[in-house]
Amino acid sequence: MSHLELDMSILEPGLLAELDAYIESLPDPQGSIIAVLHKAQELNGYLPRELQLYVARRTGLPTAKINGIVTFYSFFSEVPSGVYTISVCTGTACFVKGAQEVLDRFREELKLEEDEPMTEDGLFSINDVRCIGACGLAPVVRVNERIFGHVKPDQVSEIIAQHRKEAADAS
Amino acid sequence: MSQENKSAGIPLPNIFDRPANTVTLTINDIPVTVNRNSTILEAATKAGVHIPTLCHLALDGFDIHSETSSCRVCVVEVEGRPRLVTSCSEKVVEGMVVRTDSPRAIRGRRTNLELLLSNHPRACLTCAKNLDCELQKLARDMSIREITYKGERKRFDIEYSSRAIIKDPDKCIMCRRCETMCNDVQTVHVLSALGRGFDSVVGPAFHADLGETTCTFCGQCVAVCPTAALTEVNETSRVWRALHDEKKHVVVQVAPAVRVAIGEMFGMAPGSISTGKIATALRRLGFDAVFDTNWGADLTVVEEASELVSRIQNGGPMPILTSCCPAWVNFIESQFPDMLHIPSTSKSPMIMLGAMAKSYYAQERGIDPDSIVVVSIMPCLAKKAEAARPELSKDENQNVDIVISTREFGHMLQEIGIDFPNLVESDFDSLMGESTGASIIFGTTGGVIEAACRTAYEILMEQPLERVELTQLRGLEGIRSGTVMFGDTPIRIGIAHGLGNARRLLEGLRSGEYEFEAIEIMACPGGCIGGGGQPYHHGDMEVLQDRQRALYREDRNTPLRKSHENPMIRRIYDEFLGTPYGEKAHELLHTHYTAREKI
Ligand code: SF4
Ligand code: SF4
Ligand code: SF4
Ligand code: FES
Ligand code: FES
């Protein structure tokens, strides 16, 4: 059961001012709600509940409707995501081939609790996804656009290390 | 314009013989002529062909339509069309040839139903909607014996926290009827489809509990949900526990709209009046005192009419708004916080009766108020939330302890096997059981204000009102207005039912488009006869009209028709309350409103 605790003070005034200016520049903010949400996500990185509520109040649209839009389109995210998003497929085929152990191992290695979206350094986030259409490779893990097939729990640390290194090289 | 008819190759009557706005088609070889804008489903109904539906909702007469066409259990075959079409949305065209009984159409409907069932918990035995569920009925009607598809089952928590409505999203079939009611009809906008694909359900933003949102608990979403995804919080076990507790003195009261609806649960015709049977049934259940919310309604009328008169004499604030509908009170508190000075401060009939049971009645009978349990049987789910409001209490003792819906009451009677239709009739207990015709019509839109006018007129004019039936206030249109002459003074009255209409009326008031001295608002379409706790009408609006007619009939058949003439109301003022709208009345019978900001 959810207990809503919304803390509007987490929203940065500067960011809100910029969002307000954007909304004011639109002839029909309600009709352009997707664009407004894109802007909000671009400014904040993701769309926490507080920001969704702010957009609802600012545009006069129902909060339920805003939340419906945000949860419908995959390009919106309610949680912050890391540089690398690790998607572990838990569809039927992958599940049968041990996806849960793989998922658990990722959480363990990255020290992420189930409701924690992202590692502290902002590098990794994890989610479990439904069948991604690569059942022949089950269990399947996707890191951003990169696919790893037949993943065993013991390969998890290697996958993480590979991306840590990639990130370090890039910076 | 009739070219394509010929290609369909069926004999048609000369199209010039009938008005141009009709269309003729055949359904299973039966010719039928309908209006041009009809759907295949409507044409089939006219032709006497039944097509199963699930997501589709059309409450004709209230102009309420939900047309998501998401379930596809209504598909039929149309000659010349490669795919099956959804008959609830597809419009008829001249010469159309429709088959609902072809193997392909039947197979299509079955497959679509099986897909829905594959993702549905098979919990009918213990489900709140067992034998009242449209999905279950379809499975039976289509002879489903086995479900071949094994879909994934969603898993969501059941939400009970609101004291009024239970949300069990695993049973949601995404028909979106509730959204139509909440968003389009009630304009409360707390429900939306959330998520995508298999994970999607309908719920409030952020999956919040309903109590954390601006939900008014009108229960109109519950009234139309085909499954048990939305039901009422069941309180019958609390009632049984109180009845079985020797130390408790259990008092019960029944709202006006319950007596014209409960019979439907026992096969009686809609609009049957069961007042006397209800009193007998309640005694069989073991209640210690059997009272009538109508008595509370008479008391409310006297207080509200006195308040109206006092506002007329003291220059406002005008208009006065009725306040007996708790969903409406929830609505104004969150949607129009700047207008909280206009509703009448009178408590609702249910709360007034509860407050009097724990003061006047307790004193008369020498019973400790703390041992009294007040149970209310209501057509409404918002009444459950109202009873829990902290301000509706005295010395931390709630005025009303438990509220059950008409449906829950029916289930209690079924549980102990009471043969309701054949019960002998009896009267409510004296003291708080006598009532007038004015209180009976509280159950329908327009009734509260008509009752208030009958009394306010006589208080202000100090002469009898000859014509008590104020027919200019009656009807079922969403927003109505009428004028009642108090001598030379016109009292302009506005009436709205359904919260969307209430919103329009209040906005018109704010902008100056409307001017009224008094306004009645009821949250549910039709008023309490269409309440969220009434026996399911399954989309048949005739039922509401039958209930409404029954209330007006009962008013006509009651000897006293003005609330202030109720001898037991006179007595309570003489012996206990003093003057109407006076000091003691204020302490016990009036309340206040609070602006609420929620999501
Ligand atoms: S909602 Fe209907 S089909 Fe579903 S479990 Fe309940 S009775 Fe059965
Ligand atoms: S009870 Fe009324 S306000 Fe609340 S969700 Fe249902 S329809 Fe909306
Ligand atoms: S909650 Fe009920 S009415 Fe609403 S979409 Fe689900 S099944 Fe339909
Ligand atoms: S189940 Fe994992 S890719 Fe299909
Ligand atoms: S009833 Fe026609 S699609 Fe649901």
Side-chain angles (χ1 to χ4, degrees):
Chain A
M1 224 155 279
S2 87
H3 282 289
L4 218 49
E5 269 165 39
L6 296 179
D7 175 9
M8 297 305 267
S9 69
I10 65 160
L11 302 174
E12 250 177 74
L15 184 153
L16 296 182
E18 207 171 322
L19 184 59
D20 283 352
Y22 177 75
I23 294 173
E24 269 151 39
S25 76
L26 296 169
D28 173 18
Q30 291 198 349
S32 321
I33 188 62
I34 306 262
V36 173
L37 289 167
H38 265 304
K39 183 75 186 180
Q41 176 157 293
E42 183 194 308
L43 292 170
N44 193 62
Y46 70 107
L47 293 168
R49 292 169 168 187
E50 287 82 356
L51 191 52
Q52 294 178 47
L53 182 60
Y54 183 83
V55 170
R57 298 251 152 100
R58 207 60 191 66
T59 57
L61 285 171
T63 318
K65 182 167 182 166
I66 300 284
N67 190 228
I69 294 171
V70 170
T71 54
F72 181 79
Y73 292 106
S74 54
F75 43 76
F76 291 128
S77 174
E78 291 191 278
V79 289
S81 49
V83 179
Y84 297 107
T85 301
I86 302 169
S87 308
V88 181
C89 175
T90 50
T92 314
C94 293
F95 191 82
V96 172
K97 293 261 170 102
Q100 189 62 45
E101 289 86 75
V102 174
L103 181 62
D104 290 346
R105 186 66 75 90
F106 269 111
R107 290 225 171 91
E108 202 181 300
E109 299 254 339
L110 293 171
K111 299 190 180 56
L112 278 179
E113 296 297 325
E114 203 156 327
D115 52 1
E116 244 178 308
M118 186 178 66
T119 52
E120 245 162 57
D121 58 5
L123 213 46
F124 295 102
S125 46
I126 303 185
N127 48 32
D128 49 344
V129 294
R130 307 269 173 196
C131 178
I132 56 173
C135 310
L137 297 175
V140 179
V141 171
R142 190 177 61 200
V143 182
N144 291 354
E145 297 313 316
R146 217 173 260 152
I147 301 279
F148 296 83
H150 306 300
V151 179
K152 294 190 186 55
D154 287 346
Q155 290 170 286
V156 163
S157 54
E158 192 186 313
I159 296 174
I160 293 173
Q162 174 191 343
H163 290 92
R164 278 226 168 92
K165 180 165 184 304
E166 189 181 280
D169 292 349
S171 62
Chain B
M1 102 199 227
S2 58
Q3 290 306 63
E4 72 243 299
N5 312 340
K6 294 206 181 89
S7 67
I10 50 150
L12 284 176
N14 182 346
I15 56 161
F16 300 108
D17 286 350
R18 40 165 225 280
N21 55 355
T22 63
V23 160
T24 297
L25 65 157
T26 70
I27 300 177
N28 303 349
D29 299 326
I30 305 167
V32 54
T33 302
V34 290
N35 283 334
R36 188 163 291 280
N37 266 328
S38 308
T39 58
I40 295 177
L41 179 66
E42 285 159 347
T45 309
K46 193 164 178 214
V49 173
H50 177 75
I51 302 176
T53 57
L54 191 54
C55 64
H56 179 72
L57 176 76
L59 305 185
D60 295 318
F62 290 114
D63 211 19
I64 296 171
H65 299 273
S66 186
E67 291 159 336
T68 48
S69 299
S70 56
C71 75
R72 299 188 58 85
V73 303
C74 67
V75 291
V76 296
E77 198 167 354
V78 172
E79 199 174 278
R81 294 279 293 270
R83 286 162 192 270
L84 298 175
V85 304
T86 49
S87 61
C88 66
S89 59
E90 188 77 21
K91 300 277 190 238
V92 294
V93 293
E94 187 62 46
M96 195 180 228
V97 177
V98 177
R99 292 232 72 102
T100 74
D101 56 357
S102 66
R104 208 171 132 231
I106 294 173
R107 210 180 319 120
R109 290 199 295 267
R110 276 187 80 96
T111 306
N112 293 336
L113 180 61
E114 284 182 35
L115 279 172
L116 280 174
L117 293 173
S118 70
N119 195 29
H120 193 88
R122 283 156 223 172
C124 301
L125 275 183
T126 50
C127 179
K129 288 293 275 291
N130 195 0
L131 298 189
D132 234 339
C133 169
E134 295 177 38
L135 182 65
Q136 189 189 41
K137 181 172 184 304
L138 272 189
R140 191 204 57 191
D141 290 354
M142 293 203 206
S143 296
I144 305 284
R145 291 289 176 274
E146 151 179 50
I147 295 151
T148 19
Y149 301 91
K150 281 219 173 52
E152 289 177 68
R153 291 258 300 280
K154 302 165 293 192
R155 278 275 159 247
F156 287 95
D157 291 337
I158 300 180
E159 198 239 305
Y160 296 93
S161 63
S162 73
R163 304 259 335 237
I165 293 176
I166 298 180
K167 213 154 48 67
D168 184 355
D170 279 348
K171 290 180 178 159
C172 176
I173 55 160
M174 288 300 282
C175 70
R176 326 270 298 259
R177 286 180 180 183
C178 55
E179 273 184 75
T180 300
M181 292 313 279
C182 190
N183 302 344
D184 303 346
V185 179
Q186 302 296 60
T187 66
V188 180
H189 296 288
V190 303
L191 296 177
S192 168
L194 304 174
R196 56 182 171 270
F198 251 132
D199 287 328
S200 57
V201 279
V202 171
F206 318 135
H207 293 282
D209 294 346
L210 280 170
E212 295 171 316
T213 71
T214 54
C215 171
T216 65
F217 301 112
C218 69
Q220 286 304 310
C221 52
V222 174
V224 299
C225 178
T227 70
L230 292 166
T231 53
E232 71 264 38
V233 170
N234 188 309
E235 298 273 26
T236 53
S237 52
R238 278 181 69 207
V239 178
W240 287 123
R241 232 178 294 137
L243 286 171
H244 296 153
D245 184 342
E246 309 238 303
K247 291 194 280 301
K248 296 290 182 201
H249 184 85
V250 192
V251 167
V252 68
Q253 57 169 320
V254 191
V258 175
R259 66 206 66 198
V260 295
I262 180 76
E264 293 161 28
M265 291 183 74
F266 297 89
M268 294 164 70
S272 306
I273 302 169
S274 317
T275 318
K277 295 185 196 303
I278 290 175
T280 307
L282 290 171
R283 290 199 181 89
R284 295 251 178 113
L285 288 176
F287 286 100
D288 298 301
V290 178
F291 291 141
D292 194 349
T293 310
N294 286 13
W295 178 89
D298 278 333
L299 191 56
T300 302
V301 167
V302 172
E303 284 300 314
E304 211 163 88
S306 307
E307 190 180 353
L308 169 62
V309 169
S310 143
R311 290 206 204 173
I312 292 176
Q313 289 170 337
N314 300 316
M318 288 313 231
I320 190 169
L321 252 75
T322 56
S323 58
C324 42
C325 169
W328 152 235
V329 169
N330 292 337
F331 185 78
I332 194 172
E333 284 186 335
S334 64
Q335 310 280 334
F336 292 88
D338 57 322
M339 294 177 105
L340 294 182
H341 56 292
I342 53 177
S344 160
T345 57
S346 302
K347 290 180 179 176
S348 68
M350 169 185 95
I351 299 293
M352 283 199 182
L353 192 144
M356 289 298 103
K358 291 185 179 180
S359 56
Y360 174 60
Y361 171 75
Q363 180 184 306
E364 282 286 296
R365 293 289 143 96
I367 303 169
D368 172 12
D370 285 337
S371 73
I372 296 181
V373 177
V374 176
V375 175
S376 307
I377 302 174
M378 295 283 136
C380 175
L381 303 188
K383 288 276 166 196
K384 289 174 182 272
E386 181 191 20
R389 278 182 173 245
E391 70 274 20
L392 299 178
S393 64
K394 189 168 188 298
D395 307 329
E396 299 189 3
N397 183 343
Q398 292 299 121
N399 295 157
V400 169
D401 300 284
I402 310 173
V403 176
I404 59 171
S405 65
T406 312
R407 292 189 294 262
E408 290 168 83
F409 174 43
H411 290 145
M412 287 184 77
L413 298 180
Q414 286 163 352
E415 203 176 329
I416 57 163
I418 288 186
D419 178 13
F420 189 76
N422 294 313
L423 285 179
V424 293
E425 312 216 332
S426 62
D427 287 332
F428 288 105
D429 289 338
S430 187
L431 220 54
M432 303 200 288
E434 293 75 5
S435 65
T436 68
S439 67
I440 293 166
I441 56 175
F442 258 63
T444 170
T445 167
V448 176
I449 205 72
E450 179 171 339
C453 283
R454 291 181 191 174
T455 290
Y457 179 93
E458 297 201 354
I459 300 179
L460 198 69
M461 305 305 294
E462 295 175 348
Q463 67 186 45
L465 174 70
E466 296 304 335
R467 201 176 58 90
V468 297
E469 294 193 5
L470 304 171
T471 43
Q472 67 269 42
L473 307 178
R474 298 183 178 184
L476 276 175
E477 305 90 273
I479 300 184
R480 308 192 295 284
S481 59
T483 302
V484 180
M485 294 304 293
F486 281 30
D488 297 334
T489 319
I491 300 291
R492 291 162 301 174
I493 306 222
I495 296 167
H497 59 122
L499 290 170
N501 293 323
R503 181 188 293 281
R504 251 165 276 143
L505 194 140
L506 284 194
E507 278 166 357
L509 202 64
R510 209 190 239 160
S511 72
E513 182 194 339
Y514 291 133
E515 268 187 64
F516 295 118
E517 277 71 43
I519 295 173
E520 177 201 285
I521 289 177
M522 291 201 191
C524 293
C528 309
I529 48 173
Q534 292 280 57
Y536 294 108
H537 51 63
H538 294 298
D540 183 359
M541 291 295 98
E542 279 291 310
V543 170
L544 293 197
Q545 291 183 2
D546 290 338
R547 292 176 188 165
Q548 187 186 53
R549 281 191 283 265
L551 289 176
Y552 285 125
R553 203 163 64 234
E554 188 75 334
D555 168 32
R556 262 198 311 281
N557 293 337
T558 308
L560 295 175
R561 301 181 70 185
K562 298 165 189 161
S563 296
H564 56 288
E565 290 176 352
N566 182 336
M568 288 303 175
I569 295 290
R570 288 170 180 258
R571 183 167 149 195
I572 198 176
Y573 280 109
D574 289 347
E575 289 181 359
F576 187 71
L577 285 170
T579 47
Y581 205 48
E583 199 182 319
K584 187 139 186 190
H586 260 105
E587 182 199 325
L588 289 166
L589 304 181
H590 288 261
T591 182
H592 56 271
Y593 308 105
T594 314
R596 291 171 211 275
E597 204 187 337
K598 296 180 171 185
I599 62 162

